[in-house]
Amino acid sequence: MNGKGSITLEAGVEQAWDVLLNPEVLAKCIMGCNKLELVEEGKYKADLSVGIAAVKGSYSSTIELADLEKPKRYKLIVKGEGGPGHVEATGVVDLSAVDANTTTLNYEYEAEVGGKVAMIGQRMLGGVAKLIINDFFKKFSKEVKQAVGS
Amino acid sequence: MSSLGKPMNRVEDARLLTGKGTYIDDLPVFPNTKQVMIMRSTLPHARIKSIDVSEALKMAGVEGILTGQDLRQDLRQDLDYLPVGVTAPVEYYPIAIEKVRYVGEPIAVIVAKNRYIAEDAIEKIKVEYDPLPAVVDVEQAAEPDAPILHEQVGSNVANHRYFHYGNADQAFAEADHIIKHKFKFPKYSATPVETYGVLASYDHASEVHTVHANFHGPFILHSLMAKALKVPSSHLRLITPKDNGGSYGIKAGLVPYIVLMAAVSKKLGLPVKWIEDRQEHLMSSSSGTDRVTYIEAAVKKDGKVTGFRMKFIDNVGAYIRAPEPACLYRNHGNTTGAYDVPNLELETMAVMSNKCPTGLIRGYGGQQTYFPLERMMHIIAQELQLDPVDVIRKNLIATEKFPFRTATGGVYDSGDYFKAFNLVVETGKYQELRQRQEEARKEGRYLGIGFACIVEPSGSNMGYVTIALTPEERAKSLPKSGCPEAATVSIDPMGNVTVRISTTPSGQGHETVTAQIVSDVLGIPAERIRVIAELDTNTSAWSIASGSYSSRFAALGSSAVYHAAGKVKAKLIKIASSLLHTPEDELELQEGRVFVKGQLEKQVPLRRLTGLAHWNPADLPAGMEAGIYETAYFSLPQAIQPDENDLINSSATYGFVADLVLVEVMPDTGEVRIEDYFTVHDAGTLLNPKIVDGQIYGGLAHGIGGALYEELMYDHRGQFLTGSFMDYLCPTAPEIPRVTLKHIETPSPLTPLGAKGLGEGNTMSAPAAVANAVSDALEGFGVRIDTLPLSPNYIWKLLR
């Protein structure tokens, strides 16, 4: 399963980058994120609870930021495992400045799921992924706006 | 007053319809029984690095958790791997030991006070895997560079054989046309309402495993289970419940779970109960076998087929487990179906891949064989611009050739294929259908007509499984043959009749037909005959072939019942002969008494005869044993072992099915609608036509499922995608079309009642018949159907 999209952020590229890499912001923006703690440079441990179709449950996950090219580009690797199965997703986030106060964010993702999520959630998966991602960026633009305002 | 051949109501139905059946989950449990939940692999192929159960074990109510390593190392002498049906050194344990090889493979067994706790405990178990590349496509799995599932085997090919019958080279050299095609038959399943269930208890004093399971044989697998548990087979007491909520073959796949629960119960010293859930059932119980077929026909210009070359590649999933690779061979004697084709070259392969292991489902191997064969008859007609009816008639086995010996060694005991085929053509008003098709086309509608003519094998000859071995390999072990079944008829001191059968029915009405047979033989009303269908390996009469599979009741089970009743009758006549001072051949048994022929007043009631055997044996004829308790074993002398030329009569009897189906295909949506279905069956003498029709409708529904809806799907990485009835579609009542069913009866000369098996029929023919009809409808689009199911998505894509 894969997808891509883009949003416009009302902030300069440097500022958008800083917000994007702030773990507190990440924790707030990721749907169902109960806990996010730094385990090593660029690597977080998270507890996520997500429901996909009839498959509800929690995943203990690692979120890793890799291939950082400040302030332009990085890769986000999410690996989750739990009762409902496992998820492995990779996202690439690309920032480009439109002007001093506007940035375009392009993203692409690829995800693989296994176990119960795959066997009974497959029909819903594409929709759920879109929902989670759209929700993330909606919350994220809000956070960026707030950061600019403060 | 014979009740055989009459459409008697089923004695089972009253209890089943009022919720009074006794299924596995209704059985009383052993004292202190704990519930079991199985944790299963979420990866298709991986090395298990570690399984940490410590957190889960701390949960209140959890009694124990066992992994493959616990069962293998701590109890090594008690759990060996299950023997497999081929020479490839595959180690198959009922729980993963070092590697997982399919999504759904058991990795831990949680035993808890109740199922809620057991299920929650799974979330606390941490498994670390080292993922390995997976392969699910059967042809890719057979490649030398494919990921290997079983390192000690060295390749994924578990069985590979070549067969030559007649002279295919000559047939192809002399052919006017050579027509070939590749077909893919999908992995689909049988989906009984009741899933698997096992109750297991171990008695340390007697060292006996007592297991209740809704298993239905073949009981040859009992010896494998005892071997895996390393106990004498007499110490594995396997009991089946009175009622089994459907199987259609798939419950033969209970074998690993019976072994696993027996081992767990022994290790923990606790009786355990495991009831499988629907997701487990779809993901990891068992399934039909997906097959790729390459087929080539040598054809004369009039449509006569003189030879075939075929290659079957069966995907047996992650472990080849007995009775696989039998999907390749159950139909070996009828590989060329209803056609008179003396020359055949056949290559067979069974290949392992990262999918759930396969086994019996209704039709076992039949639908896989007939889909390409029947599609070819249709393609030949298309290519030669002949009517498919003419091509079929050109090739059907002539009536005067019965009993007919096929190229591969099958002996078709009786039949009149022309009569049955003509009847379906006539019943369906074939010419009118063609006119309707033509008129519809003018309106821009796409109707299609399809046929299938298939031979329905019943009552497997247990010798057929050894055709997987070469004649040289076979010569190294003792030969196997036969199809034995047993039944016991007894009469108690009060004159009441009890019959014990070992045919483990799962809804086929064996109790009804058994009572009909005994009633006919002994002249006692069927209502007064009690039939016990529970099989208990410690107390029932049974043998390796016992059970309910391969439509064996009508051919073999009923014959065992008939003979056991015959033995009782012979004894009663002997007693009467001494009481009436009349020779036995002058006596007749009818309506509860024995009388002298032509002298009705000289008679003695049955009660008196049976009473004598129990209450006053001193007055029995000299040398006669007391009591009335007779067991008969029935096998067929024709079910012999394969010979050195690989000729095998793989089944006891062979019936015939001819189908004619009319479909409409909607090019805008890809939807296929079955407008009309005509089917003619010849299953020899019918014992109970009402049960026969029920069996046939059920088989047809399953066949339509295979044709249009059902597939167990995996993604390219080996993840399983169809774990619920929203993802795995089964036909329900509204999807079943109008069906016109007719019978002809050519009695089998081999069975005492002339009956043949008939429980699978249209499961094998409908996928081919529907595919032929859809191809016929879409001929103008250049579409040639070569895979199933014909879902709207699939058809829509074909048309674009």
Side-chain angles (χ1 to χ4, degrees):
Chain A
M1 180 183 52
N2 48 36
K4 58 182 176 184
S6 76
I7 54 162
T8 305
L9 301 172
E10 292 168 28
V13 72
E14 298 271 351
Q15 203 167 13
W17 177 267
D18 287 344
V19 179
L20 201 53
L21 266 67
N22 179 346
E24 277 173 37
V25 174
L26 274 184
K28 265 195 235 171
C29 298
I30 298 172
M31 190 191 276
C33 181
N34 304 325
K35 207 167 87 183
L36 187 83
E37 52 180 279
L38 188 71
V39 280
E40 59 186 75
E41 179 64 32
K43 199 168 177 181
Y44 301 91
K45 236 176 105 173
D47 275 350
L48 306 176
S49 43
V50 188
I52 299 170
V55 197
K56 294 189 176 64
S58 56
Y59 300 79
S60 58
S61 320
T62 57
I63 298 175
E64 203 184 327
L65 307 179
D67 304 342
L68 274 80
E69 294 169 39
K70 190 179 178 185
K72 278 165 56 188
R73 195 180 149 81
Y74 75 99
K75 203 188 218 175
L76 190 72
I77 303 159
V78 182
K79 286 185 186 169
E81 212 165 304
H86 58 86
V87 180
E88 264 192 63
T90 310
V92 176
V93 175
D94 228 338
L95 297 179
S96 52
V98 178
D99 56 44
N101 297 317
T102 321
T103 304
T104 303
L105 183 154
N106 288 300
Y107 62 89
E108 267 182 56
Y109 65 90
E110 249 182 60
E112 298 280 350
V113 297
K116 205 167 267 193
V117 189
M119 68 187 259
I120 63 175
Q122 195 70 17
R123 285 165 288 120
M124 315 290 282
L125 224 48
V128 173
K130 259 186 214 141
L131 179 86
I132 292 174
I133 288 160
N134 290 343
D135 181 72
F136 175 86
F137 285 114
K138 206 170 119 192
K139 288 179 181 157
F140 176 67
S141 339
K142 224 161 105 188
E143 291 292 328
V144 171
K145 219 177 200 171
Q146 271 175 20
V148 174
S150 62
Chain B
M1 68 159 265
S2 170
S3 68
L4 278 174
K6 298 211 171 72
M8 309 278 285
N9 284 335
R10 303 194 330 161
V11 298
E12 294 89 344
D13 287 338
R15 69 170 189 267
L16 297 182
L17 294 173
T18 53
K20 290 175 185 150
T22 309
Y23 298 98
I24 186 79
D25 201 23
D26 301 319
L27 292 178
V29 295
F30 303 102
N32 201 28
T33 289
K34 303 299 173 198
Q35 303 287 326
V36 167
M37 186 72 202
I38 298 171
M39 183 179 189
R40 296 174 182 277
S41 168
T42 57
L43 290 181
H45 198 192
R47 224 164 272 290
I48 301 171
K49 279 159 76 179
S50 65
I51 304 177
D52 179 1
V53 301
S54 53
E55 284 302 307
L57 270 176
K58 287 180 200 153
M59 287 174 66
V62 171
E63 302 275 345
I65 299 174
L66 298 175
T67 65
Q69 290 298 350
D70 297 329
L71 287 165
R72 187 202 198 179
Q73 286 181 343
D74 300 358
L75 207 70
R76 194 171 193 119
Q77 55 276 55
D78 293 313
L79 183 70
D80 203 348
Y81 56 85
L82 279 151
V84 296
V86 291
T87 49
V90 176
E91 288 186 10
Y92 176 44
Y93 292 89
I95 182 166
I97 304 287
E98 282 157 357
K99 272 173 79 173
V100 292
R101 295 181 174 89
Y102 66 99
V103 168
E105 182 164 6
I107 49 176
V109 175
I110 298 97
V111 180
K113 200 170 81 181
N114 61 47
R115 175 141 182 153
Y116 302 101
I117 296 172
E119 201 154 330
D120 286 347
I122 287 185
E123 299 225 3
K124 305 262 186 219
I125 298 176
K126 292 188 181 66
V127 186
E128 266 193 281
Y129 293 107
D130 209 351
L132 296 165
V135 61
V136 289
D137 179 89
V138 68
E139 289 186 279
Q140 281 171 16
E143 293 288 332
D145 58 348
I148 300 285
L149 276 79
H150 301 269
E151 287 77 5
Q152 73 279 15
V153 179
S155 107
N156 296 324
V157 178
N159 183 239
H160 195 174
R161 287 225 54 200
Y162 296 90
F163 301 92
H164 300 272
Y165 302 103
N167 190 342
D169 286 342
Q170 194 186 342
F172 278 84
E174 292 171 1
D176 295 321
H177 303 272
I178 294 174
I179 297 172
K180 49 180 138 181
H181 205 75
K182 176 186 173 183
F183 296 92
K184 270 186 176 179
F185 195 89
K187 185 182 184 81
Y188 78 115
S189 197
T191 47
V193 173
E194 181 199 43
T195 57
Y196 289 2
V198 181
L199 304 177
S201 170
Y202 182 74
D203 176 28
H204 285 269
S206 61
E207 299 180 338
V208 169
H209 289 281
T210 301
V211 179
H212 294 266
N214 49 6
F215 176 68
H216 60 67
F219 278 80
I220 190 171
L221 297 172
H222 178 268
S223 52
L224 269 57
M225 294 186 259
K227 224 171 180 175
L229 288 163
K230 292 206 170 167
V231 293
S233 51
S234 54
H235 288 215
L236 171 59
R237 181 180 186 185
L238 187 55
I239 308 167
T240 65
K242 185 181 185 69
D243 292 308
N244 187 327
S247 168
Y248 323 106
I250 202 162
K251 282 177 180 157
L254 265 146
V255 168
Y257 295 103
I258 291 170
V259 172
L260 184 59
M261 293 309 143
V264 166
S265 165
K266 180 178 181 183
K267 169 106 173 138
L268 296 179
L270 285 169
V272 294
K273 174 174 181 173
W274 171 68
I275 302 288
E276 181 187 52
D277 71 26
R278 180 60 59 191
Q279 289 168 19
E280 289 180 287
H281 189 74
L282 284 165
M283 166 175 62
S284 45
S285 59
S286 181
S287 82
T289 313
D290 43 319
R291 175 182 293 178
V292 168
T293 300
Y294 289 89
I295 182 167
E296 216 170 303
V299 189
K300 293 290 189 187
K301 54 177 175 286
D302 59 359
K304 171 77 193 152
V305 179
T306 53
F308 279 118
R309 289 194 174 113
M310 303 182 191
K311 181 179 182 180
F312 299 160
I313 313 169
D314 270 15
N315 190 343
V316 295
Y319 299 86
I320 185 157
R321 65 182 182 196
E324 291 283 39
C327 185
L328 285 171
Y329 304 115
R330 185 179 85 105
N331 292 270
H332 200 82
N334 48 289
T335 304
T336 49
Y339 308 115
D340 190 346
V341 182
N343 307 302
L344 171 70
E345 250 176 55
L346 174 65
E347 181 182 353
T348 54
M349 284 174 92
V351 181
M352 295 180 283
S353 78
N354 297 104
K355 290 185 178 180
C356 173
T358 59
L360 318 185
I361 67 162
R362 200 174 204 163
Y364 196 35
Q367 50 273 52
Q368 288 88 340
T369 302
Y370 292 132
F371 175 60
L373 185 66
E374 294 305 299
R375 283 291 297 118
M376 281 305 279
M377 300 315 277
H378 192 268
I379 291 171
I380 289 166
Q382 269 185 330
E383 299 237 328
L384 273 52
Q385 300 194 323
L386 297 169
D387 193 307
V389 167
D390 296 331
V391 173
I392 290 167
R393 286 201 178 119
K394 192 53 84 187
N395 290 288
L396 278 182
I397 295 161
T399 310
E400 60 276 13
K401 285 198 170 179
F402 287 92
F404 179 80
R405 175 97 167 166
T406 67
T408 45
V411 182
Y412 295 170
D413 47 329
S414 65
D416 190 342
Y417 296 177
F418 275 88
K419 187 176 169 191
F421 181 64
N422 290 341
L423 183 58
V424 86
V425 170
E426 189 184 299
T427 307
K429 301 195 174 79
Y430 175 61
Q431 288 311 329
E432 284 180 29
L433 295 185
R434 284 287 176 212
Q435 279 164 17
R436 262 176 75 184
Q437 182 183 34
E438 212 171 295
E439 282 155 22
R441 197 132 313 166
K442 284 179 203 151
E443 299 164 16
R445 290 167 55 218
Y446 295 87
L447 267 56
I449 299 160
F451 288 96
C453 289
I454 67 144
V455 171
E456 174 164 18
S458 54
S460 288
N461 168 2
M462 298 311 273
Y464 88 81
V465 182
T466 61
I467 202 96
L469 308 174
T470 63
E472 297 74 42
E473 288 168 332
R474 275 201 299 275
K476 288 181 199 148
S477 55
L478 291 171
K480 286 193 180 64
S481 71
C483 42
E485 189 52 89
T488 302
V489 177
S490 58
I491 305 183
D492 68 18
M494 296 304 285
N496 293 301
V497 183
T498 304
V499 188
R500 188 129 194 209
I501 53 175
S502 298
T503 54
T504 56
S506 50
Q508 304 96 326
H510 294 181
E511 290 174 41
T512 303
V513 180
T514 295
Q516 281 180 265
I517 294 167
V518 176
S519 161
D520 267 26
V521 175
L522 297 182
I524 296 170
E527 312 80 79
R528 282 191 40 212
I529 296 164
R530 187 164 130 69
V531 181
I532 316 269
E534 294 97 313
L535 188 154
D536 178 338
T537 56
N538 272 170
T539 60
S540 298
W542 62 279
S543 186
I544 59 158
S546 287
S548 162
Y549 59 95
S550 196
S551 302
R552 64 196 312 281
F553 178 77
L556 303 164
S558 70
S559 303
V561 169
Y562 179 79
H563 282 308
K567 282 184 172 179
V568 167
K569 179 180 173 179
K571 184 165 185 171
L572 296 174
I573 295 273
K574 215 169 238 164
I575 300 170
S577 161
S578 106
L579 288 183
L580 297 169
H581 309 290
T582 310
E584 288 166 42
D585 57 5
E586 289 172 28
L587 296 175
E588 211 167 304
L589 188 159
Q590 240 183 49
E591 290 176 38
R593 70 221 150 89
V594 175
F595 59 90
V596 181
K597 283 177 202 166
Q599 285 178 269
L600 279 173
E601 69 288 354
K602 272 189 87 177
Q603 57 156 287
V604 51
L606 277 191
R607 272 181 83 97
R608 172 88 204 283
L609 299 171
T610 57
L612 200 68
H614 285 287
W615 301 93
N616 184 21
D619 281 355
L620 286 174
M624 184 180 277
E625 287 175 15
I628 309 272
Y629 191 96
E630 299 291 340
T631 294
Y633 276 80
F634 183 82
S635 184
L636 276 179
Q638 290 80 1
I640 57 172
Q641 55 273 18
D643 75 0
E644 66 284 1
N645 297 315
D646 284 322
L647 291 172
I648 176 73
N649 183 24
S650 43
S651 292
T653 55
Y654 299 84
F656 180 71
V657 180
D659 285 357
L660 166 54
V661 55
L662 176 73
V663 302
E664 177 165 4
V665 183
M666 320 290 161
D668 294 339
T669 59
E671 194 188 347
V672 174
R673 269 190 218 155
I674 300 177
E675 293 291 320
D676 232 331
Y677 207 112
F678 304 93
T679 182
V680 172
H681 286 244
D682 182 357
T685 307
L686 303 182
L687 301 176
N688 182 331
K690 190 175 267 189
I691 291 179
V692 164
D693 288 359
Q695 286 290 306
I696 289 171
Y697 291 132
L700 180 57
H702 198 178
I704 287 171
L708 298 180
Y709 306 105
E710 302 185 35
E711 184 177 8
L712 294 167
M713 294 189 6
Y714 289 79
D715 70 13
H716 67 285
R717 294 183 158 209
Q719 277 299 332
F720 178 62
L721 303 179
T722 46
S724 79
F725 280 145
M726 287 184 76
D727 309 280
Y728 182 88
L729 296 185
C730 287
T732 59
E735 279 79 43
I736 303 307
R738 177 170 56 197
V739 178
T740 307
L741 165 60
K742 287 195 173 169
H743 300 280
I744 68 165
E745 296 182 51
T746 53
S748 171
L750 306 182
T751 58
L753 299 167
K756 303 180 180 189
L758 51 87
E760 300 166 85
N762 302 91
T763 315
M764 302 185 276
S765 60
V770 171
N772 279 340
V774 171
S775 279
D776 185 57
L778 301 179
E779 201 179 343
F781 292 87
V783 165
R784 192 167 274 185
I785 300 295
D786 46 25
T787 190
L788 299 169
L790 303 176
S791 66
N793 285 351
Y794 177 69
I795 297 289
W796 198 83
K797 270 185 213 145
L798 277 183
L799 296 179
R800 269 147 195 98

